[in-house]
Each structure stands twice: as structure tokens, then as C-alpha cells.
Amino acid sequence: MKFIKKTDIFIILIVIIISFVGFFIFKIILSNKPAKAEIYYKSELVMVVDLTETREKTFSIPQNNNVVFHVFTDGSICFSESDCPDKICIRTGKLNTIGESAACLPNEIILKIVPYDKENKNDIDLIAS
Amino acid sequence: MLSFFFEVRCLSKRIVSIFIIIIINCNLIACDANKKQRHEIEFFMLFDTVTQVVAYTETKEEFDNLSSIIYNSLKEYHELFDIYNNYENLNNLKTINDNAGIAAVKVNREIIDLLNFAKQEYENSDGLCNIALGSVLRIWHEYREYGIEFPESSSLPTMEELKFAAQHTDINNIIIDEKSSTVYLADAQMSLDVGAIAKGFATERVCQLAIKKGVTSALVSVGGNVRAIGSKYRNGEPWNVGIQNPNKEHSKKIIYTTLLDNKSLVTSGDYQRYYIVDGKRYGHVIDPKTLMPAENFKSVTIICEDSAKADSLSTIVYNMPFEEGFRYINDIPDTEAIWVLQDDTIKCSDNFEDYIMK
């Protein structure tokens, strides 16, 4: 009796194919997965906002009630109100792309869009503006 | 006995199969993972903008060490090139401005280097990049700040006051004495404003210091003055840097993603710092020839190795009509530009395509 039969090789091949297919499906799902937003106050991460929920909402961070954020149903987020003089944070507009960020300098708040899970080498590292 | 042997064999087969699945999956996941982790930090207090540092390092300590080299060095340049604040025991650009028409000020080598670079860029650009334009820029700055705070009553400066201020913008009145390391402004009413070049100049110097201290890979952005040190990974994978679409409401947020390996990228545009008078937008880049905001383009982006050069070129080319800027850039080796015209047409210099992620 041979140790490896034809059917064994067949099973092994199937297993390999299934794991490859599974891996690529996993990768595609991962790369299509929308981003999340991180809000930093004085360089500390104070809030993470899931941008996959398709629910509109308006909120502030506990550290500063004068700065208001808004999440839209299309998964984008922006600074909607701020008491700073230059309003550059509001003018930056809606963010939804990995690598984008908006900052309110006088209030020391930064809003960043980051990958939902692990980074991909083709993700944008930074957006120059 | 035979059936027992058969069952054991079946079982062992299953176990082997399961092991194969696990091992293959582990291998595939391991292939994708890089041992180095992405780290990122932002600083707020420097050059009136946000500084971002990104690097892939094996440990957090390695990243902290790298980012503190950059922070500490950048802070020194921030204080030296500050035109708004005084610092104890430090002569900076504000000290020079305060002593205009009064006295020569002894300053650090870094300031002399910056001013020499600025004078050279002035020559190269036929006056389109002028750090002696402070008196004119201050007027626009005041009108802009007021216009942003009170949009209903925003207005433009009159040509008379701009022209009056422009009488005090001669760059030759910056008297540099290399030997005694002093700077003197020969016109009491003139003032330096290095907004168009200081960030890029400082970014380049800071990154050169980091390289000297052994940093081989990092991405530094000082308010959009992006400098890529080396590549992202050891295998030469470049940094991916997006160029912002100046149309903020457009669904496409990025006009191109560029691939940078030891290169700088700087954008000048009118889409962030501006104010509105009677429905018309007035940007913050002032054309020294007309004394009015330059309005040829929505944005201009420069790619070249030296961040100081990229910064000054972005202002110079922003102030030039397209054809002139196109020729100007194509004459400079290893330097590329991309223009977004007011009608959203995108134009690229001859070899810009080499940097675009396909």
C-alpha cells in the first residue's frame, strides 16, 4: 500500500486552492473596507469614529465643546463648527480618503482618516495640501 | 485490527490536511506582514501649521527617537525664522525686523543661509519670490483676518496703500555681512516675511540632519511641505503621497498619488488660506508685480529633491502664467510640476508622469 494515493494529492491540491481563494477574498474584503476616523487632542488619541455606519451624526469631543464634528451617511466626516479665528479646519471640508487629515491648530485638534484594519502598501501615506 | 489501522490512517490524513491549511494560511499572512510597524505623530506648535512625521520602524522607541530629532531641530528653526515672537537670548527674524533702519543684528549662520538662499531665488525668478515684501503682505494679512471673521464687511486694500507699502520692498536693502555674521535692514519701513520659503528651507535642513544621524526612511510634512527621506521599506518601495484636489467638494479627493523616493513635494494654492470679498475669492499668495493675489491657478505642485527649492519654486511658478512656468520648470533638471488651472484643467511638466502611481 502506497503512503500517498492519488486522492491524497487531489485533497491537498483542493486545500491549497481553497486557502488561496480564501486569502484573496479576505484581501479584497479588507481593501474595500471603509476607513475610520481618529480624533487627536494635544497629540493624544481621544476618539475613534467608525465611518462604516451609515448614520448621520453630530458630536464633540469631551475635551472641547466648541469644536463640532459631523459624520455624513456617505461615510465622510468634517469639522462643522469651531471657535478658531482662521476656520481652516472647517474649510478643509469633508474627509473620506485614507491619508487625509484636517487640523484645528488653535484648538490643537487633528482629525485623521486611517485604514480600518491593517495597512496595505498601496495606501496613501500622506496627502499634501 | 485492520479496521482500526484504517481509522487511524483516516484520522491522520485529516490531521495532516488541517495542518496543511493552517501552515499555508500562516505563510500567506506572514508574506503580507511587514515586521516594521507604521508610526505617525503630529506636532502643532511649529511654523503655525501641523507637522506630520511618518515612519516604519520595528519599535516605538526607534520611532520616538527619530521624531524627537526632527521635532527638536525643527523647533530651533521655528524660533530663528519667527517674525511674530521674541525668544530669550535669541536674535531671530523678528529682531532683524524690529531693528530695521536702526542697527545691524548679529544672527546665527542658519539665518544668513536662509537670507542668501532667498536672495538667490529672487535673482533666479526675476523678483517673483521676494522675502522683503513684508510691508505689503502685512496689509493683506490684516484685511484677510478681518474678512474671515466678519465676512459681511470684508473688503480689499486700496491700491494706494499697497503701492505706498511697496516702496519699502527692495531686497537689496537687506545688508548681509558674512564676516561679522550680521543682518541690517537699510530701510526703516521694510520688513522680512519668509512665509514662501522658510518652511521648505527648515524642512530640508532638518531632514539632512536626520539623515546624518542615521535615519534612512521617514516621511516629514511641515504644513504640506513634504520631504521623503529614502523609501518606505528597505526593498525600495516608495512613499505614496497624494496631491490634494483643490476642489474640496469634489468626490475625488486626490488628483494624483505620487511615488516619492528621496524627493520633496510642495503645493501652493488658493483653496485654504483665502477670504471672500463680494463673492470673489482672494488667496494668500501675493504677486509682487501686481501686489494682488495671484489667480492663474487653483494650485501648483512641485516635485524635486531639495525641499527648500520645491517651496520657493511652488510660489514662483504660482505667480507665473502657465506657458512661462512650463518652460521655467522644464529647464530645471530633475524638477517637475503639475498645475490645476482655474477651469480645472490639469497640466503636467514633461516628466511628471514618472512620479505618478499607475
Side-chain angles (χ1 to χ4, degrees):
Chain A
M1 200 167 158
K2 278 197 295 180
F3 184 70
I4 295 176
K5 286 198 293 185
K6 256 188 189 164
T7 47
D8 288 331
I9 294 171
F10 185 71
I11 288 170
I12 290 170
L13 275 178
I14 294 270
V15 164
I16 291 174
I17 289 166
I18 287 173
S19 30
F20 264 97
V21 168
F23 172 70
F24 283 111
I25 287 174
F26 178 70
K27 276 216 80 163
I28 288 164
I29 289 172
L30 198 72
S31 63
N32 284 349
K33 214 167 192 178
K36 62 183 176 185
E38 291 180 346
I39 300 172
Y40 291 79
Y41 175 71
K42 298 197 172 179
S43 298
E44 293 285 324
L45 179 62
V46 292
M47 199 181 274
V48 178
V49 185
D50 189 345
L51 297 178
T52 57
E53 286 174 32
T54 50
R55 200 160 53 82
E56 199 146 338
K57 64 173 174 179
T58 303
F59 61 95
S60 288
I61 54 170
Q63 290 81 354
N64 189 332
N65 290 323
N66 298 322
V67 177
V68 181
F69 301 90
H70 192 88
V71 176
F72 297 86
T73 50
D74 62 356
S76 57
I77 184 168
C78 73
F79 278 90
S80 57
E81 279 173 49
S82 170
D83 59 348
C84 61
D86 55 14
K87 311 284 183 216
I88 284 177
C89 53
I90 298 172
R91 285 179 172 188
T92 307
K94 289 187 195 176
L95 311 182
N96 55 19
T97 308
I98 292 167
E100 273 192 303
S101 63
C104 184
L105 221 50
N107 288 311
E108 295 186 63
I109 294 171
I110 190 160
L111 174 64
K112 286 200 281 195
I113 309 297
V114 297
Y116 205 88
D117 226 324
K118 219 163 77 67
E119 295 99 13
N120 181 302
K121 79 175 174 62
N122 288 328
D123 280 343
I124 288 176
D125 293 297
L126 211 140
I127 295 178
S129 59
Chain B
M1 188 61 199
L2 195 70
S3 83
F4 174 73
F5 180 75
F6 185 74
E7 245 163 57
V8 166
R9 201 173 162 273
C10 259
L11 194 67
S12 68
K13 239 189 204 174
R14 272 191 208 150
I15 291 169
V16 167
S17 307
I18 288 166
F19 263 102
I20 288 173
I21 293 173
I22 291 170
I23 288 166
I24 287 175
N25 278 329
C26 284
N27 278 343
L28 286 173
I29 289 165
C31 276
D32 194 45
N34 198 298
K35 248 172 76 189
K36 296 190 170 187
Q37 282 269 310
R38 182 194 162 94
H39 294 281
E40 187 174 340
I41 195 168
E42 281 82 26
F43 308 126
F44 286 92
M45 309 314 288
L46 308 175
F47 287 97
D48 287 323
T49 186
V50 180
T51 298
Q52 281 175 282
V53 180
V54 183
Y56 286 78
T57 57
E58 272 161 35
T59 61
K60 178 81 167 61
E61 289 72 41
E62 195 184 339
F63 179 75
D64 289 345
N65 180 35
L66 182 159
S67 64
S68 65
I69 292 174
I70 288 166
Y71 178 83
N72 292 335
S73 176
L74 200 59
K75 186 161 179 284
E76 283 176 31
Y77 283 99
H78 164 78
E79 293 180 358
L80 285 170
F81 299 164
D82 197 333
I83 58 171
Y84 299 109
N85 303 295
N86 290 115
Y87 299 91
E88 225 170 288
N89 302 323
L90 183 75
N91 285 345
N92 63 7
L93 293 185
K94 183 169 190 296
T95 324
I96 297 174
N97 280 342
D98 292 346
N99 284 288
I102 301 170
V105 177
K106 193 162 171 59
V107 291
N108 287 15
R109 186 70 226 172
E110 286 81 2
I111 289 184
I112 306 267
D113 288 347
L114 173 79
L115 298 182
N116 280 332
F117 173 73
K119 284 195 164 197
Q120 187 194 316
E121 287 304 287
Y122 180 90
E123 297 289 324
N124 292 345
S125 68
D126 216 1
L128 288 180
C129 176
N130 183 6
I131 57 160
L133 210 63
S135 52
V136 173
L137 296 181
R138 196 185 307 123
I139 294 173
W140 276 107
H141 183 80
E142 280 162 15
Y143 276 83
R144 189 169 59 246
E145 295 271 287
Y146 182 84
I148 291 171
E149 200 167 347
F150 307 104
E152 326 72 41
S153 51
S154 68
S155 63
L156 295 176
T158 63
M159 216 3 114
E160 287 75 51
E161 60 181 320
L162 290 173
K163 280 195 170 147
F164 182 76
Q167 291 169 0
H168 307 285
T169 57
D170 185 355
I171 198 166
N172 296 313
N173 279 330
I174 305 174
I175 315 291
I176 300 172
D177 187 336
E178 302 256 355
K179 269 197 200 123
S180 57
S181 194
T182 60
V183 178
Y184 173 59
L185 301 185
D187 179 344
Q189 307 226 44
M190 82 184 289
S191 69
L192 302 176
D193 186 322
V194 292
I197 60 164
K199 277 189 294 188
F201 186 90
T203 306
E204 185 62 28
R205 287 292 180 97
V206 165
C207 289
Q208 290 302 336
L209 177 81
I211 291 168
K212 217 180 264 174
K213 290 196 170 180
V215 174
T216 53
S217 168
L219 191 62
V220 178
S221 166
V222 182
N225 282 253
V226 180
R227 176 70 160 91
I229 298 178
S231 54
K232 181 159 42 169
Y233 299 124
R234 216 166 261 159
N235 59 10
E237 202 69 56
W239 294 100
N240 304 327
V241 176
I243 299 176
Q244 173 114 42
N245 188 340
N247 299 300
K248 282 291 168 61
E249 295 307 310
H250 201 283
S251 60
K252 204 175 140 202
K253 302 310 275 290
I254 293 166
I255 49 176
Y256 284 115
T257 300
T258 59
L259 304 171
L260 303 184
D261 182 342
N262 199 33
K263 285 275 183 288
S264 297
L265 180 149
V266 178
T267 299
S268 278
D270 71 350
Y271 56 88
Q272 230 159 23
R273 296 202 176 186
Y274 64 88
Y275 78 119
I276 291 170
V277 181
D278 296 331
K280 191 170 182 296
R281 175 190 288 212
Y282 293 89
H284 76 290
V285 181
I286 305 300
D287 182 341
K289 298 231 154 37
T290 62
L291 306 179
M292 294 294 286
E295 48 189 21
N296 293 324
F297 315 107
K298 284 189 174 164
S299 76
V300 173
T301 299
I302 307 285
I303 296 181
C304 66
E305 192 180 321
D306 184 335
S307 172
K309 195 78 186 155
D311 200 7
S312 65
L313 280 175
S314 76
T315 304
I316 291 166
V317 174
Y318 192 78
N319 277 325
M320 279 179 178
F322 171 70
E323 289 74 18
E324 196 186 340
F326 185 75
R327 281 195 303 273
Y328 192 82
I329 289 297
N330 282 333
D331 282 348
I332 307 175
D334 300 320
T335 301
E336 302 302 329
I338 178 166
W339 293 257
V340 180
L341 274 48
Q342 290 295 356
D343 65 359
D344 291 332
T345 316
I346 293 174
K347 304 264 191 186
C348 298
S349 61
D350 285 346
N351 299 313
F352 190 85
E353 261 187 35
D354 299 351
Y355 294 101
I356 297 174
M357 184 193 273
K358 302 279 175 343

